[in-house]
Amino acid sequence: MKVTSKSIKTFAAATLLTLGMGSSAIASAATTLVVGTWMPPSNPMNTVVWPTWAEWVEEATDGRVKVKIEHDLGHPRSYYQLVEDGVINAGWSFTGYLPGRFTLPLAVEQPGMGVNAEAASVALWKVHQKHFAKAKEYEGLELLAFLTHGPGQLHSREPISSLSDLRNKRIRIGGGVQSQLAERMGVTPVAAPGPQVYELLQQGVIDGVFMPAQEQSSLRLNEVAPNLTLFPGGMYLGSFSMFIDPVFMDSLSAKDAKAIRSVSGEKLSALAGKAWDMADTEGLKYAREKGVNIVELGPNDKMTLEFNELIKGMDEAWIESVKGKKGVNARQALKDLRSYARSYKPKN
């Protein structure tokens, strides 16, 4: 038999499963699906999304597949590799943590979408299926869902009254479209994963951060960034993917693999987006209760107009950046994405 990385991973998975069976009958043992996650325990991915999906999987497979969730296995960018190598079976990560590998999902991050996370998440899943899948950016992984966080806003140590106030300020950037915004604003970008933001602000390493409003409570930013500037519709959206090892899926019966897919895709994307929207609502409420200085900009306020001027040409820049993706009509994909998102109606 030819030994390949795939066969090694399959053998390893089977061995681990056998070792975990104890003395009970092998035929009756459930398969364990190990999910890796990150961000604080209070993040909606850890309080709602993965636990709910775990229940869905176990119910859909009649208990033949049990989900085990493991926390904090390394830098979020490593989760792609952890799943590809079979160290864990499934995980999630932020698109911008691997710049260059994933460029097509950045379509949803472009300013001007004007929708919530649920609508954007479902729209991205649908556009991926229609336009992006053929480019095989996620080769080596099987996608479970796409999601976005809610509209990205500005959290800062000091009040900001104009975009010029941000020039040369040290702002934590997660990657993706945030990097382009930072360059256009003239800030000093500081790259760091989300869980480190509190410490960086507390120590004065950074002056602010671009993140959704929910992080006022989830990351306790109210304590270290007591100024929150809300742009109409947000400055951008942040995109994430949830994925699973295709070798693990192949190791399951066709019935169970189909069952897992039936509770993933658009259904899981909607759940994830909705959870982040609810977290934004709770984060804003929390910030108000804690006395955070919240500035809600209107469509004609100075900073809004400055921002609208600043982002001109970003759509074209993204379209140009994905020109080499064979078979992808980027302009039509972006048009469809916004159409799907803006016409989205929740199913429940």
Side-chain angles (χ1 to χ4, degrees):
M1 182 184 77
K2 182 180 179 181
V3 178
T4 65
S5 60
K6 181 174 179 178
S7 65
I8 291 171
K9 286 167 66 177
T10 303
F11 175 76
T15 302
L16 287 171
L17 176 60
T18 303
L19 290 173
M21 288 175 180
S23 60
S24 61
I26 290 178
S28 64
T31 297
T32 299
L33 193 170
V34 179
V35 170
T37 187
W38 46 284
M39 288 295 274
S42 56
N43 184 273
M45 292 299 291
N46 299 324
T47 59
V48 177
V49 182
W50 281 121
T52 301
W53 185 73
E55 292 175 3
W56 288 353
V57 167
E58 293 182 20
E59 181 179 358
T61 62
D62 294 322
R64 290 183 297 275
V65 179
K66 301 286 187 181
V67 177
K68 181 181 181 182
I69 301 173
E70 298 282 0
H71 292 257
D72 302 326
L73 303 177
H75 191 289
R77 65 171 169 261
S78 70
Y79 281 62
Y80 300 109
Q81 195 67 48
L82 289 171
V83 172
E84 287 175 323
D85 290 345
V87 177
I88 54 177
N89 305 125
W92 69 294
S93 194
F94 182 60
T95 304
Y97 283 149
L98 283 186
R101 178 174 178 181
F102 306 116
T103 56
L104 294 170
L106 296 181
V108 81
E109 298 192 6
Q110 302 303 314
M113 186 68 71
V115 299
N116 64 14
E118 182 178 357
S121 299
V122 171
L124 180 56
W125 176 262
K126 293 172 70 173
V127 163
H128 176 82
Q129 301 303 101
K130 181 177 180 180
H131 291 282
F132 297 161
K134 65 189 77 172
K136 298 183 178 179
E137 284 194 332
Y138 286 85
E139 192 168 14
L141 299 165
E142 178 175 332
L143 282 167
L144 292 172
F146 277 112
L147 63 134
T148 76
H149 62 48
Q153 307 290 4
L154 172 63
H155 308 251
S156 57
R157 288 162 57 91
E158 302 296 334
I160 301 297
S161 59
S162 170
L163 290 187
S164 61
D165 292 344
L166 290 174
R167 189 161 294 277
N168 298 321
K169 294 284 188 184
R170 297 159 299 176
I171 304 295
R172 177 269 180 180
I173 301 299
V177 166
Q178 295 176 58
S179 300
Q180 298 172 44
L181 290 174
E183 182 178 352
R184 289 172 177 240
M185 290 178 182
V187 306
T188 300
V190 177
Q196 291 181 11
V197 168
Y198 181 96
E199 182 181 357
L200 293 175
L201 282 163
Q202 185 182 48
Q203 296 176 352
V205 175
I206 57 176
D207 302 302
V209 60
F210 298 155
M211 277 186 156
Q214 66 117 338
E215 303 300 357
Q216 281 287 317
S217 57
S218 182
L219 287 179
R220 296 183 293 122
L221 293 189
N222 66 291
E223 298 175 6
V224 287
N227 296 279
L228 175 60
T229 305
L230 303 176
F231 289 77
M235 295 187 290
Y236 66 97
L237 294 171
S239 62
F240 304 78
S241 56
M242 302 171 69
F243 40 83
I244 196 166
D245 181 4
V247 175
F248 174 82
M249 292 293 278
D250 288 345
S251 73
L252 301 173
S253 68
K255 181 179 181 179
D256 286 344
K258 182 179 179 181
I260 290 173
R261 293 183 181 111
S262 75
V263 295
S264 303
E266 184 174 329
K267 179 177 181 177
L268 181 55
S269 298
L271 169 74
K274 184 176 182 179
W276 284 73
D277 286 332
M278 292 175 64
D280 267 356
T281 299
E282 293 168 3
L284 273 175
K285 180 182 177 183
Y286 180 85
R288 290 190 174 100
E289 290 173 351
K290 295 298 182 180
V292 171
N293 175 36
I294 301 175
V295 177
E296 296 189 56
L297 300 174
N300 296 313
D301 285 345
K302 176 187 173 185
M303 284 183 67
T304 303
L305 298 176
E306 289 176 338
F307 183 76
N308 291 341
E309 189 66 27
L310 179 109
I311 63 176
K312 285 182 178 178
M314 288 187 66
D315 282 2
E316 292 300 321
W318 174 78
I319 290 169
E320 184 66 24
S321 74
V322 298
K323 234 177 182 177
K325 300 294 179 178
K326 189 175 180 181
V328 176
N329 183 334
R331 192 175 302 278
Q332 186 61 49
L334 187 57
K335 181 179 179 181
D336 287 349
L337 176 69
R338 287 176 173 159
S339 175
Y340 293 153
R342 291 166 183 167
S343 62
Y344 175 73
K345 298 284 189 266
K347 292 183 179 179
N348 48 39

